[in-house]
Amino acid sequence: MSELQRTPLRDFHAAHGGRLVDFAGWEMPVQYRGILDEHRAVRRTAGLFDVSHMGEVDVQGPDAGRFLNQLVTNDVAKMHPGRVVYSPMCYPDGGVVDDLLVYQRSPEDFFLCINAGNIAKDLAWIRERAAGFNVKITDRSSDYALLAIQGPKAAVIVQSLTGAKLGLIKYYHFGEGTVAGIHCLISRTGYTGEDGFELYHAASDAPALAEALLAAGAAHGLELTGLGARDSLRLEAGYPLYGHEISAEISPLAAGLGWTVKLDKGADFVGREALVREKAAGPARRVIFFRTGDRRIVRAGATVLAPDGSAVGTVVSGTLSPLLNESIGSALVTAAAAAGPLAVEIRGDLLALAPVKPPFVPLKQGGVA
Amino acid sequence: MSNIPSDLRYAKSHEWLKVEADGTATVGITDYAQNSLGDITYVQLPKPGAVLKAGDVFGVVESVKAASDLYAPVAGTVLSVNPALQGAPETVNREPYTGGWMLKLKPAGAPATDALLDAAGYGKVTG
C-alpha cells in the first residue's frame, strides 16, 4: 500500500473505523459501518464523504470562457459568476476524456473539478487544447481537500456552522464563506441525488472541518460514508461514472447524456462534428438502466443476452439497491437490442433485465443541472 | 479483531464446523469471513439431500463487493439449510456463528475433522 496516494483525511478515516482500500491509486475508505447502512443514512439523514482525491484545475485569463466552451460539450458561455455546470469533455471522435464540473468565479476565472483517476490525462489534454488561447491552466489538486455532505439534513448541519445564507445558494450554484471558521467554496452539488454540499477548502484544514461537520451532524443522524455507498447512491440516482457509463469508447449521446451536448451553442467544440453525425444516425450502442427483481447482483462485465441467446452487450455497473432491495445496474447494448427483452446469466440461471428510466428512486434533487 | 469461538473447527477457506451431540454437523462462515466480505446481500445454498465431498463448492455468498464460493469442510449429506438467509442474508454479518448458520450435514462416517483447524490454528490464518 506504500505507493498509494493519501488525502489529508487518511488518518481521520483510520481513526473512525474506515476500511481503507486502493481506489484509483488512492488509499480511500470504501466503508465505515457498512455500505448498505451508509447508503440508507444519506437517503434518510446525511452522510459525510471525503472526496479529496478528486482533481481541481484553475482556468484563468481573458480567453478562459471561450477556451472552455470549445473544450467541453455543455454551454459555458451562458454561465454567470456563482454558477456550476456539469459537462463531458470529448475527444474529436466523440468519446469522453472525462466528465467534470465547471465553476465560474468571474468571467475570466474558472475552476474545474475532475475525476481522480483522470487527473494526469486531463491536464495533458487541457494544456494541449489550450494552445493559441490566452489562458493559464493550473493544477490545484493537491492544494484542495473536498468534503461532500449529502442528504436531507445536510443543509441544516452546514448552516449550523456558517453565517453564509445557504438558502441563497441554489442547486448547481456556489458561494464562498467560512464553515466552522474554515474558508470554503460552498457548492450546492453532489453525486447522490440528495440535497447537499461539496465543500472545497485548503488541504491543511481538512481534519478540522471533517471533525466539525461530524460533531455538528451527530444530533441529526449524520454518518461517515465511504466510496462504496457513493457508488450505490450514484447508480440509484442514474448518474454516470467515468469508465462505466461513459468512457473513451462511450460518447455522451450513447450514454443518454444528450442534454449535456449543446451542438448549437455556437462554438465548434472538440467532438462536435462526430457527435452531430452520431445524433443524425442514432448511436450504434446505448447505455440502458435495469432492475432485476432479484437480490443477486449483476456485476460489471456480465454479458447481456437477447431472447435468442445472442450477446448484445455488457453490464457496465451493478449493485444492490438498498432502497428497492433488488439488484440494479446499467449496460451498454446495441441500439437494435435496447428496446427488446434482455437477460443475463448468473450461475446457470437466466435473469431478466427490466428497463428503468432513472432515477431508480424518487430524488429530492433533480438530475438536470 | 475477529471472534473465533474455541468450540468450533475451521477450514482455511473460512468456513466453521460444529459437531453436535447427535453426530450431525452445522456449517457456516467465520466472523473474519463476514467482515472481509462486507454487507452480505445473497446466500445461495444447496437443496437438502445434496451429497458433498470435503472441499466441494456447496453454495455462494454475495456481498456488495463480490461473490465468493462456499466450500464443504467435511463430506456429508445436506439435512437442511438455514431458511432465514433467503430473506435476511445480513444475518450472516450480525450472527455468523449462531443465526447465520448455513447447512446442517449428516457427515459421511465419523466427521474427518482432523484436517480442520482449531481456534488457535485458525487465528494464525487470519493473523
Side-chain angles (χ1 to χ4, degrees), chain A residues 19 35-36 295 299 347, chain B residues 35 39 41 44 62-64:
Chain A
R19 181 174 299 177
I35 293 171
L36 302 179
R295 285 179 60 93
R299 298 184 192 269
R347 302 192 287 273
Chain B
N35 188 51
D39 290 295
T41 54
Q44 181 175 309
E62 276 201 50
S63 70
V64 176

Side-chain angles (χ1 to χ4, degrees), chain A:
Chain A
M1 304 272 280
S2 60
E3 299 299 312
L4 294 180
Q5 299 188 75
R6 293 177 166 188
T7 80
L9 292 170
R10 189 265 170 205
D11 293 346
F12 171 91
H13 302 312
H16 288 90
R19 181 174 299 177
L20 297 163
V21 301
D22 177 355
F23 178 86
W26 292 77
E27 190 180 3
M28 297 298 287
V30 65
Q31 65 167 65
Y32 299 83
R33 276 196 329 129
I35 293 171
L36 302 179
D37 280 345
E38 292 166 25
H39 180 115
R40 291 186 197 103
V42 172
R43 295 272 181 251
R44 285 176 191 160
T45 55
L48 182 63
F49 301 86
D50 174 20
V51 281
S52 302
H53 59 316
M54 302 287 285
E56 291 86 11
V57 181
D58 279 338
V59 179
Q60 294 160 315
D63 290 345
R66 196 166 64 84
F67 167 61
L68 287 172
N69 218 25
Q70 68 82 50
L71 181 71
V72 304
T73 62
N74 210 335
D75 193 353
V76 175
K78 286 190 180 136
M79 291 181 78
H80 53 79
R83 180 86 169 98
V84 188
V85 162
Y86 167 81
S87 183
M89 169 168 75
C90 285
Y91 292 109
D93 69 358
V96 180
V97 182
D98 201 2
D99 62 337
L100 44 85
L101 293 180
V102 182
Y103 290 80
Q104 190 190 87
R105 294 193 188 100
S106 74
E108 296 189 4
D109 186 358
F110 293 80
F111 169 83
L112 311 178
C113 180
I114 60 180
N115 280 304
N118 290 338
I119 293 174
K121 176 185 79 173
D122 287 3
L123 277 165
W125 178 254
I126 293 168
R127 289 192 168 122
E128 184 188 323
R129 304 303 309 191
F133 289 93
N134 188 357
V135 287
K136 185 160 156 260
I137 313 293
T138 314
D139 178 13
R140 303 294 307 279
S141 301
S142 51
D143 299 337
Y144 281 105
L146 180 55
L147 282 164
I149 178 168
Q150 299 279 303
K153 297 290 186 189
V156 66
I157 294 166
V158 178
Q159 191 66 78
S160 74
L161 296 172
T162 182
K165 292 189 171 65
L166 298 182
L168 299 180
I169 304 175
K170 302 298 181 197
Y171 191 49
Y172 267 75
H173 286 75
F174 71 98
E176 308 225 14
T178 59
V179 178
I182 292 160
H183 183 79
C184 290
L185 188 158
I186 305 169
S187 174
R188 198 154 204 161
T189 50
Y191 197 41
T192 61
E194 298 295 327
D195 185 23
F197 297 88
E198 293 177 298
L199 304 173
Y200 298 83
H201 55 283
S204 56
D205 288 331
L209 183 58
E211 291 289 1
L213 288 164
L214 187 59
H220 299 283
L222 173 88
E223 296 232 15
L224 291 173
T225 40
L227 295 183
R230 184 170 155 85
D231 188 54
S232 55
L233 286 157
R234 72 91 194 165
L235 186 54
E236 221 176 50
Y239 296 162
L241 172 61
Y242 190 82
H244 294 253
E245 287 77 15
I246 48 172
S247 69
E249 285 78 42
I250 310 174
S251 80
L253 298 179
L257 296 171
W259 65 273
T260 66
V261 179
K262 301 295 196 310
L263 295 172
D264 301 321
K265 68 180 178 178
D268 187 20
F269 61 86
V270 184
R272 183 178 179 277
E273 215 176 293
L275 292 166
V276 165
R277 280 199 307 271
E278 185 178 0
K279 189 176 180 185
R285 299 179 301 171
R286 287 177 198 278
V287 173
I288 57 123
F289 290 82
F290 62 82
R291 56 195 290 178
T292 63
D294 194 287
R295 285 179 60 93
R296 286 173 286 187
I297 294 174
V298 180
R299 298 184 192 269
T303 299
V304 180
L305 304 170
D308 65 359
S310 61
V312 293
T314 306
V315 172
V316 290
S317 293
T319 194
L320 184 86
S321 162
L323 268 72
L324 300 175
N325 201 25
E326 65 179 280
S327 80
I328 63 170
S330 61
L332 180 66
V333 299
T334 61
L342 297 170
V344 292
E345 192 183 319
I346 294 192
R347 302 192 287 273
D349 292 342
L350 268 188
L351 218 61
L353 307 182
V356 170
K357 188 173 156 36
F360 286 88
V361 297
L363 298 180
K364 317 297 185 301
Q365 215 42 281
V368 177

Side-chain angles (χ1 to χ4, degrees), chain B residues 1-23:
Chain B
M1 285 307 97
S2 69
N3 172 20
I4 307 176
S6 58
D7 58 332
L8 305 179
R9 292 290 181 146
Y10 299 90
K12 281 180 184 159
S13 49
H14 307 293
E15 293 82 10
W16 56 262
L17 178 125
K18 182 181 188 189
V19 179
E20 309 286 353
D22 63 1

